[in-house]
Amino acid sequence: MPALSNPLLQKWFNAFMRLSHRALTPLVQHGADIRLPLRGECRSGQVYLVGAGSGDAELLTLKAARLLMQADAVVYDRLVGDDVLALIPSSSERYYVGKARGHHSVPQAEIGELMVKLAGEGKSVVRLKGGDPAVFARMGEELDALAAAQVPAAIVPGITAASAAAACMGIPLTDRGHAQQLRFVTAQLCREDGTPDWETLARKDETLVFYMGLSKVDAICHGLRQAGLPDEWPIMLVANASQREQQSLVGTLADMPEKLAASPLPSPCLIVVGSVVQRVATTPAVKIPDVCAAPLI
């Protein structure tokens, strides 16, 4: 495994080592001999679909950090945080293929071709995706492209935006007194002149999390109200979850469009609908230090 020369990565790694030592020393006779299992290699000719998490480098998995250190080439998205990118060694090749609303810098087919090309050159490749690669991140299309070219692939999960946003706001996504179900929903249908099944989504016993829906907050609020949820039903918007620039709005289905117009939020933004949102105002938030911002209620 290469030396930890990057100062940020060294600091991050040392923090993990101290934490593991403190946690495990009481459980073993020789706590000082404990080492985190950072073993393995980034294999030549293979592509790793890696979740970069929500942007906070300290929320990366150990495996994701190791692969970033070892890969010959990293193909990364727009939503990957700068602190995460800082962990990539200067000797590694970088390829930006980010997508923004209404503008795709690199078509999806070309991303697949790029990964196949790099792997075909014998390079170890990390395909770095914001959040979790399996949650609304087009991982299936990329796996298909790699499989068609017989390129071996591995998947490394990451912390998805819903988990990060809920943690930073100090609320559970599920709670026995609020939600028996949790549903992740893409707002993509709203953008393609489709109509989500609002009747099945308008339930009081579940938490809804809408991804990629900032421009459709009005439609979401209207659709859920028309389907039967009350005007005062809680909704929360969290932008840049877990990052220093995190911002949030808490309101109701009736007043959220007006609140958002008065205090616009940047993209990416997550939308949480459900009675668990009430806990933002009633429960002291357990926040990630120096990162998560207070809500604008």
Side-chain angles (χ1 to χ4, degrees):
M1 182 172 174
L4 302 178
S5 58
N6 184 290
L8 177 61
L9 183 55
Q10 181 70 60
K11 178 181 177 182
W12 179 87
F13 178 76
N14 288 341
F16 266 103
M17 291 299 291
R18 289 194 299 270
L19 179 61
S20 68
H21 177 76
R22 292 173 185 171
L24 298 178
T25 294
L27 304 179
V28 296
Q29 185 174 1
H30 302 291
D33 295 332
I34 294 173
R35 295 292 183 271
L36 291 173
L38 292 177
R39 297 188 298 270
E41 60 178 347
C42 200
R43 296 179 180 177
S44 299
Q46 181 160 328
V47 175
Y48 298 83
L49 302 173
V50 176
S54 55
D56 181 356
E58 291 187 319
L59 294 181
L60 275 176
T61 64
L62 294 176
K63 179 173 283 190
R66 173 178 64 78
L67 291 170
L68 282 177
M69 291 171 54
Q70 296 175 330
D72 296 318
V74 179
V75 180
Y76 65 98
D77 280 346
R78 179 179 70 94
L79 299 182
V80 176
D82 290 339
D83 287 348
V84 174
L85 294 176
L87 303 179
I88 304 172
S90 58
S91 58
S92 299
E93 298 176 13
R94 298 188 185 198
Y95 299 89
Y96 174 70
V97 294
K99 298 178 176 65
R101 184 168 62 90
H103 174 69
H104 289 193
S105 62
V106 180
Q108 187 63 41
E110 291 185 19
I111 296 175
E113 293 170 1
L114 174 61
M115 292 188 297
V116 170
K117 173 180 175 293
L118 293 171
E121 294 171 352
K123 297 172 182 174
S124 54
V125 182
V126 163
R127 172 67 174 106
L128 194 60
K129 293 175 166 289
D132 185 289
V135 180
F136 302 128
R138 309 188 78 165
M139 186 184 77
E141 296 169 61
E142 297 183 358
L143 284 174
D144 290 344
L146 296 172
Q150 297 185 324
V151 174
I155 301 167
V156 179
I159 293 178
T160 189
S163 296
C168 283
M169 299 304 296
I171 65 171
L173 286 172
T174 60
D175 182 287
R176 67 172 59 189
H178 292 273
Q180 284 69 56
Q181 298 184 89
L182 170 63
R183 200 180 319 202
F184 292 172
V185 186
T186 173
Q188 192 68 29
L189 276 176
C190 296
R191 295 195 189 112
E192 296 177 352
D193 298 324
T195 302
D197 189 347
W198 298 117
E199 297 293 334
T200 63
L201 293 176
R203 297 179 52 142
K204 293 184 177 181
D205 63 345
E206 71 178 9
T207 303
L208 298 175
V209 180
F210 290 88
Y211 283 68
M212 302 169 287
L214 181 59
S215 66
K216 295 299 178 182
V217 169
D218 198 353
I220 290 170
C221 291
H222 177 75
L224 292 174
R225 291 167 67 193
Q226 288 293 106
L229 285 182
D231 289 352
E232 66 272 14
W233 198 243
I235 180 172
M236 175 176 71
L237 275 58
V238 183
N240 296 310
S242 83
Q243 301 181 51
R244 295 190 183 278
E245 59 269 29
Q246 174 178 305
Q247 300 176 56
S248 59
L249 284 173
V250 178
T252 68
L253 293 180
D255 67 19
M256 182 53 75
E258 183 177 350
K259 281 192 171 186
L260 181 60
S263 302
L265 295 181
S267 178
C269 189
L270 199 78
I271 303 168
V272 181
V273 180
S275 60
V276 294
V277 174
Q278 294 172 345
R279 295 180 63 108
V280 173
T282 60
T283 304
V286 181
K287 299 181 185 299
I288 299 173
D290 301 323
V291 174
C292 296
L296 303 173
I297 299 177

